[in-house]
Amino acid sequence: MELLIGKTAGFCFGVERAVEGAISELKKENELYCLGEIVHNKEVIKDLDKQGLRFIEKLDEGRNKVIIRAHGIEKELYEKAKDLNIQLIDLTCPKVLKIHKIAEEYAEKGFYIFLIGKKNHPETIGTVSYCGENVYIIENSGDIDKAFEDLHEKNIDKILVICQTTFSMVEYEKIVKDISYKKENNIELEIKNTICSATKLRQEETIELASKVDAMIIIGGKNSSNTNKLYEISKKITETFIVENKEEVNFEQMKKYEKIGIMAGASTPKKSIEEIIEILQSMW
């Protein structure tokens, strides 16, 4: 058996910053809350819970200090925190904050915003709150016509296209191409590819690895957008398994493959990756 391990597998900068920030705050506080899951990975959540971090769904469930997750929150919650006398520890990924700034700036200029992303993803929900009233979430090319209908009804002639940081590059490029094709000549179109560079590199490396192996193991939270994108990309090329930890790997099944590729999502801790690699290596 030969293992090919992705160089970009594991924590990205934004996730590492958020997790390390939470650990640092836990050393100073007896009581600390986080609004939503700090990152989409059960192993990370379990570890931080053991250290005393309490995860809440609504801001008013917290007290004193509340951490803002890596995905960010809605704009109005910053003001609500002041009203509740809650100090926010903002661990939003800087790349997500940059999108908020872009969205707010273009909304003020009168642009209609086409936001490419998953409607129910926390990052998308947060970004929408910075887009003003004129925004449409586009999950796939099937949503484009409805977005243009709303644009025309509101008589707006300027579009800004932005994207969830963890969206599929392949899907993004197809959607942007379709938007450009359907746009009338009198409509001004600005496109800003806000997919995180770490996401892009992981997706590219996954394609490269999957084309060289008999099977791929994608490690990460099954509720993680970027992990699921890696799985979707890989399974189109070779047999692919998505797991959250070593307990979910069928190691007996892995024995039939001569070459196995390992890739992990941006919120997957090093420990989860190393444990699986160690067991696979011991099977040689």
Side-chain angles (χ1 to χ4, degrees), residues 221-235:
K222 290 172 186 173
N223 61 336
S224 162
S225 174
N226 76 84
T227 300
N228 277 295
K229 287 293 179 293
L230 300 181
Y231 173 66
E232 289 165 14
I233 288 166
S234 181
K235 73 179 182 179

Side-chain angles (χ1 to χ4, degrees), residues 81-92:
K82 290 178 185 177
D83 294 338
L84 293 169
N85 201 27
I86 288 173
Q87 180 187 342
L88 293 178
I89 301 159
D90 198 344
L91 298 180
T92 305

Side-chain angles (χ1 to χ4, degrees), residues 114-150:
F114 285 7
L115 172 55
I116 300 172
K118 297 297 180 183
K119 290 181 174 73
N120 296 322
H121 193 278
E123 182 191 321
T124 303
I125 293 167
T127 300
V128 165
S129 69
Y130 287 85
C131 295
E133 295 179 359
N134 301 314
V135 56
Y136 201 97
I137 300 169
I138 297 174
E139 289 193 333
N140 53 59
S141 289
D143 294 323
I144 295 173
D145 286 342
K146 291 176 184 176
F148 272 110
E149 279 176 28
D150 196 50

Side-chain angles (χ1 to χ4, degrees), residues 169-197:
M169 272 298 300
V170 173
E171 289 176 46
Y172 166 81
E173 286 169 358
K174 181 183 185 307
I175 292 169
V176 166
K177 185 178 178 182
D178 290 342
I179 289 170
S180 300
Y181 177 76
K182 292 184 177 186
K183 178 194 79 71
E184 296 91 336
N185 290 333
N186 65 315
I187 301 289
E188 180 185 345
L189 177 64
E190 285 210 35
I191 299 167
K192 292 190 180 292
N193 183 351
T194 51
I195 293 178
C196 172
S197 55

Side-chain angles (χ1 to χ4, degrees), residues 41-57:
N41 186 279
K42 287 179 184 175
E43 302 300 312
V44 173
I45 299 301
K46 199 186 300 179
D47 185 52
L48 290 173
D49 181 68
K50 285 178 184 175
Q51 294 182 56
L53 188 59
R54 300 293 167 251
F55 296 94
I56 56 176
E57 292 304 315

